[in-house]
Amino acid sequence: MRSSSIVLLSGGLDSLAAFYWARRESDLMMGLTFNYQQRSAVREVEAAARICSTYDVKHMVVDLPWFKD
């Protein structure tokens, strides 16, 4: 039985590599992106959503506006 995984996905190269590895080695359940109001938030969320859409993986964004402070 293969394990299941959730990948923390920022849309950058490192998290994309983790996404590919998890997809190959486990049942990838979801890509999870944290939006903590960083300057690149819009681009990161869009990139992560595009990656998940391409591979038909659920994508969830968790807003953490308090983290910016």
Side-chain angles (χ1 to χ4, degrees), residues 19-54:
F19 180 92
Y20 282 132
W21 182 87
R23 193 169 165 266
R24 185 183 69 227
E25 299 294 328
S26 69
D27 293 325
L28 181 55
M29 306 300 290
M30 173 190 323
L32 181 63
T33 303
F34 294 120
N35 177 1
Y36 52 93
Q37 309 301 311
Q38 66 277 29
R39 279 185 277 170
S40 59
V42 171
R43 289 188 310 256
E44 288 183 12
V45 170
E46 288 173 352
R50 198 173 323 116
I51 292 165
C52 287
S53 176
T54 298

